[in-house]
Amino acid sequence: MLGWIVRILFAIAAPITALFVARDALNFGLIQTIVTMLLVTGLVWLMAAYAGRDRQAPR
């Protein structure tokens, strides 16, 4: 199950990385991994922000 999530994140990160680095560059895999880690960090931040919001606040 975790492998599926990682594979999906790598599939999302590949076109984002290709905007900045050529696909045949030697460091494409490294940059793709860094972009994937940024995506995971952003996803965790969004989940934390959603869970930490105050539901009793007046609107």
Side-chain angles (χ1 to χ4, degrees):
M1 185 71 165
L2 184 62
W4 293 353
I5 296 170
V6 171
R7 189 175 300 234
I8 290 169
L9 286 172
F10 268 105
I12 294 169
I16 296 171
T17 307
L19 291 172
F20 302 106
V21 179
R23 287 189 186 262
D24 58 348
L26 293 176
N27 60 350
F28 183 81
L30 177 67
I31 305 297
Q32 183 181 10
T33 303
I34 293 170
V35 171
T36 302
M37 290 182 350
L38 288 172
L39 287 173
V40 168
T41 304
L43 190 64
V44 168
W45 181 81
L46 282 174
M47 289 190 301
Y50 181 76
R53 67 186 174 106
D54 188 14
R55 295 192 176 134
Q56 299 297 327
R59 295 178 189 196

